[in-house]
Amino acid sequence: MSSATPAAAPDVTNPDVVLVVDFGAQYAQLIARRVREARVYSEIVPSTMPVAEMLAKNPKAIILSGGPSSVYAEGAPRLDRALFEAGVPVFGMCYGFQLMATTLGGTVDNTGAREYGRTELHVSKAGSTLFEGTPVEQSVWMSHGDACSAAPEGFTVTASTDVVPVAAFENDEKKLYGVQYHPEVLHSTHGQQILEHFLYRGAGIEPSWTTGNVIEEQVAAIRAQVGDKRAVCGLSGGVDSAVAAALVQKAIGSQLTCVYVDHGLMRKGETEQVEKDFVASTGVNLKVVDAQERFLTALAGVSDPETKRKIIGREFIRVFEQAQLEILQEDGPEVAFLVQGTLYPDIVESGGGTGTANIKSHHNVGGLPDDIEFELVEPLRQLFKDEVRMVGQELGLPDEIVQRQPFPGPGLGIRIVGEVTKDRLDLLREADAIAREELTAAGLDREIWQCPVVLLADVRSVGVQGDGRTYGHPIVLRPVSSEDAMTADWSRLPYDVLAKISTRITNEVADVNRVVLDITSKPPGTIEWE
């Protein structure tokens, strides 16, 4: 078959959509997530989208995100005044707040009133639409150098800080609202309540969006995209691919064949778990391909992480193409689609978000070859990890799959810093299995986001084991806590658990004589080492 351009499933029009206009904010995706937590569907659109196109989506409300620019600076993002005159409720946050103020005749300037981090907010209109039922003194998260000193005509100032006279304003008649701070972050103690007040009271939206809606909408979109053709889906053993496959299986049934590529880069026992748990819960048609030697040969002598990712992505596609040829020998329509468990954070980290840089080539996004011969079906590309888990539960997948810690598609290949060899993979598999066993025994599986175990294959350190000196590899433990992988902090695991993991690894895994703990947050470090 001829090459096809990868494409996402068609957009599903949601009658109650809230648009989040992204002005290059680090928190734009978090705003969308918070709106969904309020059971209201949200979509992110770039600030460069014409207002007419935004309004053509018939949004129930529009939220303007923060951003790094100064509203009065040359080249700063702007918005057509028509947005505020269209009758659609609008909520501005930080930069969005200042943009609303200046566009409608208020005053924003550099007064020297810089506020970064936790700040005390003084609510002056306790019964207002936004602040009803919240304390008159509350902690909020600020991040601004400019300040609004005068609200636009017709607006009521509803909050201030010690240095900023206009930290929030409201215009109920025109349904326009704004706050200088970031209500979407957890540091703003009543931020979610304020956001929900805007959605429910200011915009009059009923909270009705659920994971059931996601399933219903995506099933319709998948059927429309695939039609009467067939699709293949690569099961990696992780949550994302399993939920994506289960969702597509629900949509097109026997038109889907799942392919599990045993590339030799999986963790201990994962191949058996995929074959047993996933097939038992979905009844999907599963084809297992043993490609261990192929991947090891392709990765031989390669240490650069980006090169490894691209090789693994390329080989995955080639294996799928071979599987396609075999499936085509069976009776049935053309196999034209490849299902992937791409999530929204994957898109952002691969440079797909407004104003973002390419942090790394993701195996579902940037690692695919240009001559891919499938059209992509990505039913999860607008979801966050916690939403994916909820969809999986709704679809009836077992907890062993749904609650599994995230695991990258390139597998242990990017958890070996250095060349990937069979001996190194076997070593890392054993160390990883020990860490997972002890975290489970301590009841910490749900308290941490994930715990990558990394082998520093090109590093050796001196140790003493028994009565002699050793020259072994270090193992790195990377336990992190996160909500959606966009940001993360290192998990403060109990010392006795860390000690048990270290003792077992150094005693039970040959050629390892040192275990170290990575205590770096994200940013500056990513969760995976490569």
Side-chain angles (χ1 to χ4, degrees):
M1 82 184 257
S2 61
S3 297
T5 301
D11 290 336
V12 178
T13 300
N14 190 295
D16 292 328
V17 65
V18 170
L19 298 183
V20 177
V21 181
D22 183 4
F23 289 98
Q26 59 176 318
Y27 296 134
Q29 67 280 355
L30 184 55
I31 297 172
R33 188 173 180 276
R34 296 297 186 222
V35 173
R36 295 182 190 186
E37 286 178 3
R39 297 180 60 200
V40 176
Y41 180 68
S42 62
E43 292 179 2
I44 298 175
V45 298
S47 61
T48 53
M49 176 181 285
V51 167
E53 288 186 25
M54 295 182 195
L55 297 178
K57 290 178 172 285
N58 297 315
K60 287 287 186 177
I62 294 175
I63 296 176
L64 310 180
S65 82
S69 303
S70 295
V71 289
Y72 51 78
E74 184 178 353
R78 308 290 181 194
L79 271 182
D80 191 323
R81 185 186 178 99
L83 178 71
F84 304 108
E85 298 173 342
V88 178
V90 181
F91 187 21
M93 301 176 179
C94 198
Y95 182 85
F97 165 75
Q98 295 177 1
L99 188 58
M100 182 186 294
T102 56
T103 302
L104 297 177
T107 303
V108 174
D109 46 34
N110 191 338
T111 61
R114 300 162 63 89
E115 291 177 313
Y116 295 99
R118 201 180 302 275
T119 305
E120 197 68 17
L121 184 76
H122 314 303
V123 178
S124 54
K125 298 291 182 181
S128 74
T129 296
L130 293 184
F131 294 103
E132 172 77 33
T134 67
V136 294
E137 302 289 327
Q138 51 189 275
S139 182
V140 300
W141 191 257
M142 291 282 193
S143 182
H144 69 97
D146 303 331
C148 180
S149 56
E153 184 178 352
F155 283 73
T156 300
V157 177
T158 53
S160 62
T161 70
D162 289 342
V163 296
V164 174
V166 184
F169 54 47
E170 306 179 27
N171 186 327
D172 285 317
E173 181 182 354
K174 295 185 177 180
K175 298 188 179 301
L176 302 177
Y177 306 87
V179 295
Q180 176 60 72
Y181 60 95
H182 289 276
E184 71 274 21
V185 303
L186 293 176
H187 302 294
S188 294
T189 53
H190 296 275
Q192 185 67 14
Q193 191 174 355
I194 302 302
L195 177 59
E196 291 178 1
H197 281 174
F198 165 71
L199 296 170
Y200 305 157
R201 305 176 74 209
I205 301 174
E206 292 291 330
S208 59
W209 185 76
T210 65
T211 52
N213 300 142
V214 174
I215 294 171
E216 181 181 342
E217 292 164 4
Q218 285 301 320
V219 164
I222 293 163
R223 286 173 178 165
Q225 182 184 13
V226 176
D228 60 0
K229 295 181 180 179
R230 286 191 287 170
V232 291
C233 177
L235 285 179
S236 68
V239 179
D240 307 338
S241 66
V243 174
L247 194 50
V248 175
Q249 167 77 5
K250 182 177 178 66
I252 61 174
S254 61
Q255 292 170 246
L256 173 69
T257 299
C258 287
V259 178
Y260 175 73
V261 179
D262 185 3
H263 51 21
L265 307 175
M266 302 301 287
R267 293 178 292 190
K268 189 174 182 179
E270 286 188 317
T271 296
E272 295 76 13
Q273 187 180 59
V274 169
E275 292 187 87
K276 182 186 70 171
D277 294 340
F278 187 74
V279 174
S281 62
T282 63
V284 74
N285 178 27
L286 178 65
K287 180 181 181 65
V288 179
V289 180
D290 185 350
Q292 296 183 56
E293 287 301 321
R294 175 177 184 148
F295 278 81
L296 283 173
T297 300
L299 291 167
V302 178
S303 297
D304 178 71
E306 277 291 280
T307 304
K308 285 195 288 187
R309 283 178 176 273
K310 290 184 181 296
I311 287 172
I312 294 169
R314 181 194 71 209
E315 294 303 314
F316 253 109
I317 294 300
R318 297 301 172 242
V319 171
F320 276 123
E321 289 174 339
Q322 180 59 42
Q324 177 202 29
L325 293 176
E326 296 174 7
I327 295 169
L328 280 174
Q329 294 174 5
E330 307 167 3
D331 291 333
E334 177 187 10
V335 179
F337 297 90
L338 171 62
V339 180
Q340 290 203 138
T342 310
L343 305 190
Y344 187 73
D346 303 338
I347 302 298
V348 173
E349 290 202 345
S350 297
T354 301
T356 58
N358 187 351
I359 298 172
K360 60 187 177 185
S361 292
H362 192 272
H363 62 282
N364 281 345
V365 184
L368 297 177
D370 294 333
D371 60 343
I372 178 175
E373 292 194 1
F374 299 101
E375 184 177 337
L376 298 183
V377 178
E378 299 176 302
L380 310 178
R381 66 181 286 123
Q382 294 299 328
L383 298 183
F384 294 95
K385 179 71 76 172
D386 59 331
E387 294 172 329
V388 171
R389 294 190 196 279
M390 289 188 287
V391 169
Q393 289 174 329
E394 188 84 14
L395 290 169
L397 295 179
D399 279 352
E400 290 79 8
I401 291 177
V402 174
Q403 298 302 332
R404 192 174 198 171
Q405 291 183 4
F407 186 61
L412 299 180
I414 59 168
R415 291 185 178 175
I416 294 175
V417 180
E419 182 185 3
V420 178
T421 67
K422 186 179 185 305
D423 288 344
R424 289 174 173 182
L425 285 166
D426 290 341
L427 184 158
L428 181 54
R429 251 189 289 272
E430 292 302 317
D432 175 87
I434 290 170
R436 287 190 289 144
E437 286 172 11
E438 292 302 332
L439 290 173
T440 299
L444 296 171
D445 285 345
R446 299 282 184 98
E447 293 187 24
I448 63 173
W449 175 263
Q450 66 184 119
C451 183
V453 177
V454 181
L455 171 64
L456 301 184
D458 291 341
V459 176
R460 286 185 177 271
S461 65
V462 175
V464 178
Q465 290 173 300
D467 294 324
R469 288 166 62 87
T470 60
Y471 200 47
H473 297 289
I475 285 286
V476 181
L477 303 179
R478 174 69 165 139
V480 295
S481 300
S482 180
E483 287 188 283
D484 49 32
M486 298 304 300
T487 60
D489 194 12
W490 64 280
S491 301
R492 275 66 168 174
L493 298 182
Y495 289 156
D496 60 332
V497 175
L498 290 171
K500 187 174 291 187
I501 293 173
S502 177
T503 298
R504 283 196 60 192
I505 289 176
T506 53
N507 283 345
E508 299 175 30
V509 182
D511 294 325
V512 174
N513 62 2
R514 192 178 300 273
V515 175
V516 300
L517 179 66
D518 183 346
I519 59 171
T520 312
S521 63
K522 175 187 177 180
T526 55
I527 293 176
E528 298 290 345
W529 271 50
E530 290 199 338

